Amino acid sequence: MLGIGQAMRGDDAAGIEALRWLRDRYPELDCEELTGDPAALLNAFANADHVVVLDCVAAKPGDTQPRVIDGLRQGLSAGQGASTHAFSLREAIELGRALGRLPERLTIFGIPGHDFELGASMSTDTCAALARLTELFPKWRQQHA
Amino acid sequence: MGTENTRTIAVDYLARVEGEGALYVKVRGDHVVDVELRIFEPPRFFEAFLRGRSWLEAPDIAARICGICPVAYQMSAVHAMERIAGVEVGGHLRELRRLLYCGEWIESHVLHIFLLHAPDFLGYPDAMQMAADHKSIVEKGLELKKHGNAIVNLLGGREVHPINVKVGGFYKLPDQYSMRELEDQIKRARDLALDTVRWTSSLEFPGLEIDHELVCNGKAGEYPMNEGRIVSSAGLDIAVDSYDENFIEEQVEHSNALQSRVKGRGAYLTGPLARFNLNFELLHEPVKQAAREAGVVASRNPFQSIVIRALEVFYACEEALRILRDYDAGLPPAVDVDARAGTGYACTEAPRGILYQRFSTDAQGQVTDAKIVPPTSQNQLAIEQDLGALVPQHLDKTDDELTHLCEQAIRNYDPCISCATHFLKLELDRGPADA
């Protein structure tokens, strides 16, 4: 389980917050917080059969519905990530594909985000999306894990 | 696009720059009449965010400004706080901070060399497509970066945004065995770094020589990293607490970020090119030898900064090994530091240039004022001047080719625009020749 984000950049913290919530409830999961560093992501990809990524995705106002994305088969669009750096999750996946370093399964939970200002708190919409994720994840895990 | 006499090129994102901004280049005939690097984000938000916080948590907050150079933000902040407290952290703790900085230089430079800048030189739009044809090069870069991450992870507590650094030193020092293991790892990194110097020096560099005033830390008896005075190629030699008297930040119409100038002179360049040119003799002998073989001694071509970054990675490995050889886990992790009222100044060498910070605190250690000047905002004018000199030499190129060349020139500075902006959009306006 990889939580990606920046804890002090508004909704970009959503991936980290989601990971912390899951880590508390599912201590058996192998959890790691990342900032999106491509080398760290590729290392994490290489060390597991099934990687689950929790990350914020840029969304329209009012959107509070988390997405479940097959990271190996569904491409992320350039505008779908919320990375503060040009080398984001999407690029790390494509680089992993080129280098043959992807896990067998890669599931992305995309949490809608709206405000990525430095120092900002998470928006109410993203907090609502996180609450929905906490309902969605146990059901998803029962079906897929 | 555009009419017969007017061509405008717009690129939604300038990819492979750590962050986002915008560039406008206006060309009339054979002349560049305007170059504007626009920054949109209010860059001083974090300064306001730091006010009212404890002096002990300020370094960790400052580190969050950037995911690529958090050690630099953290180090400038701890030094400023220690100067307020009247404490000088020396000996093994000073050395270990330098080791942490070595880790960050390796992490940041390697990311830039292999994944952000190399595609420009090898003719690829991005690292993913480059990796398909040059897998071994990318694999080498990722391995080298992993070794840099290992230093920051062991000493800082995690690979990015270290949590083991505090005012006065560290919370805990690594055990002797872990540092010996790290030493073995960095020996491997040193070999990879030397290979990287040789490989980058074989690339083809567009010709560009700009006589920028070069500014960096100096006069500390070592290759500048986390301490020293502020010196320049034009004879500037000042204590860090005189920064505000010698540099000015100005608001310009086209940017929300402040642009830095040397008072009375103007633009200046900070970063690897400045450090290397002003401190060549302080490099370790194997690094100097590698530079001679690479043919970049005293280079002023910004496009060769990719080689100089590789040389600095090689230096950081040599320096890390020097520090690791003398490591003693039995020494104390920190010195005692007490809060007091005052103002502290610090300037350290982030991978992309000097990072100045000034903090004021009250007697309880609460931050009352903060000023942070990131290297990218200091290099903005130099970038604009590079483009102003470069574009007229290449007006025969197509818009796409010229746009790409401008992007490559901006990436020479490895701008960490995420410290100050949202996105970089490139607009090249050739306009009618008689306008």
Side-chain angles (χ1 to χ4, degrees), chain B residues 117-376:
Chain B
H117 215 190
D120 287 331
F121 290 93
L122 297 178
Y124 293 90
D126 54 48
M128 290 78 74
Q129 295 185 54
M130 187 182 86
D133 294 337
H134 297 278
K135 189 175 175 180
S136 63
I137 290 174
V138 176
E139 292 279 13
K140 187 180 290 185
L142 289 171
E143 186 189 346
L144 188 47
K145 188 174 187 308
K146 189 177 169 183
H147 298 318
N149 285 11
I151 297 177
V152 179
N153 190 32
L154 182 59
L155 204 51
R158 59 184 180 195
E159 291 178 355
V160 182
H161 296 143
I163 51 171
N164 190 34
V165 172
K166 68 174 189 174
V167 180
F170 296 87
Y171 288 98
K172 187 183 175 188
L173 294 186
D175 60 69
Q176 202 80 32
Y177 176 76
S178 299
M179 292 294 249
R180 288 287 83 80
E181 279 196 327
L182 181 64
E183 190 178 344
D184 291 340
Q185 199 171 345
I186 301 306
K187 284 176 183 168
R188 164 71 180 151
R190 180 179 55 186
D191 295 341
L192 291 170
L194 182 55
D195 284 350
T196 304
V197 173
R198 290 169 177 157
W199 168 64
T200 53
S201 67
S202 71
L203 300 170
E204 193 173 320
F205 306 102
L208 183 66
E209 295 283 332
I210 307 282
D211 190 23
H212 292 301
E213 179 169 355
L214 307 174
V215 176
C216 65
N217 279 154
K219 298 284 179 74
E222 61 196 0
Y223 196 77
M225 201 169 264
N226 51 358
E227 284 190 58
R229 294 169 66 80
I230 298 172
V231 300
S232 88
S233 56
L236 186 76
D237 182 359
I238 58 169
V240 173
D241 58 11
S242 298
Y243 179 94
D244 293 322
E245 296 157 27
N246 288 275
F247 295 86
I248 188 168
E249 289 183 287
E250 292 179 334
Q251 186 79 55
V252 291
E253 195 177 339
H254 60 266
S255 172
N256 282 336
L258 300 173
Q259 286 193 351
S260 297
R261 290 170 166 78
V262 181
K263 278 185 184 173
R265 289 200 289 276
Y268 61 99
L269 181 154
T270 182
L273 212 65
R275 290 191 293 259
F276 180 81
N277 278 289
L278 298 184
N279 299 277
F280 181 81
E281 290 306 320
L282 293 169
L283 291 164
H284 297 302
E285 188 51 42
V287 184
K288 284 193 269 191
Q289 184 58 32
R292 291 185 198 103
E293 289 170 11
V296 294
V297 176
S299 171
R300 297 296 288 261
N301 181 348
F303 287 98
Q304 288 189 316
S305 61
I306 190 170
V307 188
I308 294 168
R309 279 192 187 87
L311 285 160
E312 287 198 332
V313 172
F314 187 32
Y315 172 79
C317 293
E318 290 277 358
E319 184 70 349
L321 288 170
R322 180 190 68 76
I323 296 166
L324 284 164
R325 274 194 290 272
D326 295 334
Y327 181 68
D328 180 354
L331 293 168
V335 297
D336 292 333
V337 185
D338 295 319
R340 68 183 192 189
T343 298
Y345 309 82
C347 181
T348 69
E349 287 282 355
R352 44 198 59 72
I354 58 171
L355 170 58
Y356 171 73
Q357 294 186 18
R358 185 192 71 212
F359 284 98
S360 295
T361 58
D362 62 19
Q364 286 71 47
Q366 193 173 61
V367 175
T368 57
D369 185 45
K371 179 177 181 177
I372 297 172
V373 187
T376 295

Side-chain angles (χ1 to χ4, degrees), chain A residues 86, chain B residues 14-18 115-117 119-120 124-127 404 411:
Chain B
L14 181 71
R16 287 178 282 126
V17 168
E18 295 295 349
L115 299 186
L116 305 176
H117 215 190
D120 287 331
Y124 293 90
D126 54 48
H404 173 77
R411 276 190 284 270

